[in-house]
Each structure stands twice: as structure tokens, then as C-alpha cells.
Amino acid sequence: MTKIKEVIAVLENLAPLVWQESYDNAGLQTGNPNDEVKGVLITLDCTPEVVDEAILHNCNLIVAHHPVIFKPLKRLTGSNFVEQTIIKAIQHNIAIYASHTNLDSVIGGVNSKIAQKLGLENVSILSPKSDALLKLVTFVPQENTEAVLQALHEAGAGQIGEYKNCSFQITGEGRFMPTGSANPTIGEIGKPEKVLENRVEVILPSHLQNRVLAALFKVHPYEEVAYDIYALKNANQVVGAGMIGEIPIALGYPDFLEELKQNMGLSTVKHTVHGPGMIKRVAICGGAGSFLLNDARRQLADVFITGDMKYHEYFQAEGHMHICDIGHYESEVFTKEIFYDLISENFSNFAVLLSEINTNPVRYS
């Protein structure tokens, strides 16, 4: 038996909710997390038609990229598609889960999928998040240092970019005197003690602070653990908006546009006319990415691929790079593959289905 909360745990291991933007509403939107999973239907958007599809295939969990509840609901009367979707899901005991801007912000998420489709190499985050890292400093007897470090790493500390188990240590002398009802691992009540200790430093994502500290307290030999937590201004290189990379062989712009259409399954692309002669460095952002225009320019992108660009925003390229608007839906539709692969690889006791409904509200004629 697999519970809905177990599937959610796998999804949030890739894209923790803490990485969603403040305006977002990712997470479980309807349903009981303790219900058993009978089947999972994967979609980009959740609509009444998608709920009907879930009912037809006996799926009681819908995993979507876009939250159906995005703004607060004041009533549930079925007056619009959001209310209709929620009412129908509740009536049929179907849970709806959304992984949105949190999935946009992680390696392995939306932009990684676009980069994969385009065959980009040397990929990195276009606009890394800042104020999302902490540094833990603690003091450990030399003989216990490796055990403490192992526990901290297993809890998620020590990841810097593509390097894991990163730490720094230096040896010094720790001094203390147990008093009162203390139960010291080393030393005696009322007697000053000196111990050779290692000062250990590790970086950790801020949302893992409680988990890392719990691991520290569990393994550290001292009754009272000395530690410091520092907030860092460093950018988190593995979390942030957009991505940038390079195509293996530089292409002229007309050839690049043809490759783009073929790789992303497009019939049309809105794009600028003026820009670099050859395309090599490619910036991407699934969904609405105009807020990253300046980041793409600063990182010397030859082309910026996204959706939902406004007329005057095309002028901001100013001939320094091309802009390709491939559409909001078109830039994110392959997100369904992320959910499908992740759930299928971790669970084998229920069906995982891709919705066959095209939820794109835009049509081209």
C-alpha cells in the first residue's frame, strides 16, 4: 500500500515547497495525504475534463504543474472552471497536487527538461537564488569528527554545486568545566577540562536547518553541543530561475529556429529579427520568463527562449541577442515527463498515466 503522502515526499525531494515563489500555491490542493494511491494521472493543468479522465481510469491522485487553486477561493458554487474542478475532485475523492515554481527552480526540473530537449551542454542556473544558504560551525572531539561529518552529510549538508560532502576543519583546544547536574562525556564535575577538538564547517540549504541540527545532536558525543549558524549571502548555484547552456555546434539563426521547432514540437515561433549572426549560447525559462531578460543578456546569451513575452519586451534585446517566444504551454508541456519518470521509478504498485487532454487554452489558426 502506497499513501499519497509517500508520492508527495518523492516529488518534494526533487522540488521542495520551500523553493516556490511567495505568490505561488504549490502543494496538495485537495485530498487526504493518508489515502492509498489507486492510480496517478499526470497533467500540465487540472481542469474538469482532466478530473473526468482521472475518474475514467480510476486514478485518485492528479499531479499537475500548475496549481488549480492559485488565488484564494471565497466560495465553491461551480461558477468557473477552478470551482468546477475542485468540486468534482472532492465529490470523487480525488487528490490534486501541484509542483510549480519550486519545480522551475531546481536542477532536474522544468528548465532541465527544456535543456535536455535542446541538447544543451555545460548547463547552469541562469539566476541563482541568494539568501538561501546557511553555514554551520561546530566543535567536535577529534576521534568523533568523521562520524559527525557523515551524519551531517547524510542530512543534506555539505553540497556545493556539483560537489558533495564538502567541509572544512581545523584543530584547536576546547575548554570547559562541568558543573551542577551535568553528565559530561569527558571530564569531571568541578574540574576544568581541555580537549583537542576540530572546528568543523559545512554549508547547508536553509530549509534543511532543523534536519541537519537534529543529526548533529544525535551523533555528537557531548551533552551540550557548541555550534553556530550563519546566514550567507552566497548564491545557491543549484537553485534559481532559468538555465543557460550551449548547443554542441554553433548554428545560423534560421537553422537554429528549425532545430528549436523540431526539438520542442513547434509549428510556429515568435521571435526577434535582429541579433547575433551565430547561435551558440542559449538561455531558457519555462513559462513566463521576461523577468530574466537582463540576466540572459548579462550572461551573454545569443538567444533567450521562453513564453509570454510582451510586445515592448522584444525591444530589450536591442540586437545583442535573439528572443524566441515558443508559448507558455509549449515550453512546459514536457514537464509531464518529469513527473512520470520520477513516480514510475519509485513506485510499481499502481498505474501512472499521462493525460491525453490538451489543456492549452491558446490556439493558432
Side-chain angles (χ1 to χ4, degrees):
M1 178 186 296
T2 299
K3 294 183 177 181
I4 288 172
K5 64 183 181 182
E6 295 176 65
V7 177
I8 291 174
V10 169
L11 295 171
E12 292 183 3
N13 185 57
L14 171 64
L17 290 180
V18 69
W19 296 136
Q20 69 176 310
E21 299 298 330
S22 59
Y23 60 81
D24 201 5
N25 190 39
L28 187 63
Q29 306 216 300
T30 68
N32 186 339
N34 290 307
D35 283 352
E36 178 186 356
V37 178
K38 298 177 182 177
V40 178
L41 182 67
I42 294 169
T43 183
L44 192 68
D45 308 282
C46 196
T47 65
E49 293 76 19
V50 171
V51 178
D52 286 335
E53 188 179 17
I55 296 169
L56 176 65
H57 295 292
N58 195 33
C59 294
N60 67 332
L61 173 60
I62 296 173
V63 175
H65 180 46
H66 295 132
V68 63
I69 303 176
F70 198 72
K71 298 178 181 179
L73 297 177
K74 296 183 178 181
R75 60 189 62 84
L76 280 173
T77 62
S79 62
N80 55 54
F81 93 91
V82 172
E83 294 177 13
Q84 294 161 15
T85 301
I86 298 302
I87 290 172
K88 184 171 290 190
I90 293 174
Q91 287 175 334
H92 292 272
N93 198 28
I94 294 174
I96 300 173
Y97 181 87
S99 184
H100 190 211
T101 54
N102 50 320
L103 191 66
D104 292 332
S105 298
V106 296
I107 291 176
V110 176
N111 294 304
S112 291
K113 177 57 69 172
I114 298 173
Q116 177 188 337
K117 292 290 182 182
L118 298 180
L120 300 188
E121 301 174 340
N122 305 317
V123 178
S124 60
I125 298 292
L126 180 60
S127 179
K129 279 187 180 292
S130 58
D131 299 315
L133 292 171
L134 301 173
K135 177 182 282 188
L136 168 66
V137 178
T138 189
F139 306 86
V140 191
Q142 286 185 318
E143 61 269 24
N144 302 104
T145 299
E146 288 306 315
V148 169
L149 275 174
Q150 181 178 347
L152 295 178
H153 294 327
E154 289 176 354
Q159 183 84 27
I160 302 177
E162 293 299 319
Y163 294 83
K164 62 184 300 183
N165 298 348
C166 302
S167 67
F168 175 80
Q169 59 182 280
I170 189 170
T171 303
E173 184 179 82
R175 297 190 178 200
F176 52 88
M177 185 176 73
T179 62
S181 59
N183 183 25
T185 304
I186 300 173
E188 300 178 19
I189 300 295
K191 292 184 178 181
E193 187 65 55
K194 294 187 291 186
V195 181
L196 279 179
E197 296 177 338
N198 287 328
R199 173 189 169 106
V200 174
E201 302 182 11
V202 289
I203 288 178
L204 61 138
S206 55
H207 71 282
L208 294 182
Q209 177 177 338
N210 291 340
R211 188 165 81 181
V212 170
L213 287 179
L216 172 65
F217 298 152
K218 182 177 180 180
V219 177
H220 200 291
Y222 286 174
E223 184 179 26
E224 296 290 346
V225 180
Y227 70 95
D228 301 312
I229 294 283
Y230 301 96
L232 301 179
K233 292 294 184 182
N234 305 44
N236 190 334
Q237 299 297 326
V238 297
V239 178
M243 285 188 170
I244 188 165
E246 298 175 344
I247 56 176
I249 301 174
L251 295 173
Y253 193 47
D255 291 333
F256 176 81
L257 288 175
E258 289 304 312
E259 287 282 326
L260 175 62
K261 288 192 284 187
Q262 180 176 341
N263 292 334
M264 297 298 292
L266 308 170
S267 58
T268 58
V269 177
K270 291 171 62 180
H271 60 89
T272 50
V273 177
H274 302 292
M278 299 293 288
I279 304 298
K280 178 68 174 178
R281 196 159 169 80
V282 180
I284 54 178
C285 180
S290 61
F291 68 100
L292 291 174
L293 268 172
N294 289 333
D295 294 276
R297 282 191 57 180
R298 276 194 296 268
Q299 294 215 34
L300 304 179
D302 298 316
V303 63
F304 179 43
I305 301 168
T306 188
D308 293 350
M309 295 294 296
K310 296 180 180 179
Y311 176 82
H312 291 285
E313 291 169 338
Y314 287 90
F315 288 103
Q316 295 181 33
E318 296 180 353
H320 297 286
M321 69 177 182
H322 289 285
I323 295 174
C324 292
D325 183 340
I326 64 175
H328 195 121
Y329 177 90
E330 290 81 0
S331 69
E332 294 182 329
V333 65
F334 297 110
T335 300
K336 295 190 292 185
E337 297 178 5
I338 301 173
F339 295 138
Y340 181 87
D341 293 341
L342 192 58
I343 297 173
S344 298
E345 289 167 4
N346 284 275
F347 304 98
S348 59
N349 57 335
F350 52 79
V352 183
L353 305 175
L354 291 171
S355 174
E356 296 181 359
I357 295 174
N358 181 351
T359 59
N360 190 355
V362 179
R363 293 293 184 272
Y364 303 92
S365 300

